[in-house]
Amino acid sequence: MAAPGTPLLRLEQRGGYRLDVKLDASRVSGLTTGAELDVAIEATPPLTLTGRVAEVARAMDADARAVLVKITLPPHESL
């Protein structure tokens, strides 16, 4: 819940974005830093960008059996 005068969002820089995704551990085995991935964004109109893997976490979330993958997205005027 937000209170008056409390910021909800702070942009640190303009331009590219980073997408943090938790992927099932079975899908991460061949993923390496620098690999390119297609990222589909549900918007109007739909948008597909080519992202680049910036980081693959070493530790797995045991509860979800998922690994955190950080993907950098190129700047795009629709984002």
Side-chain angles (χ1 to χ4, degrees), residues 16-23 31-32 34-40 49-56 68-74:
Y17 294 94
R18 187 181 79 201
L19 178 64
D20 293 354
V21 179
K22 287 190 176 184
L23 290 179
L31 210 53
T32 59
E36 290 187 348
L37 301 171
D38 288 333
V39 176
L49 299 172
T50 300
R52 187 174 301 273
V53 176
E55 181 182 341
V56 178
L68 179 65
V69 178
K70 297 179 180 181
I71 303 167
T72 57
L73 299 175

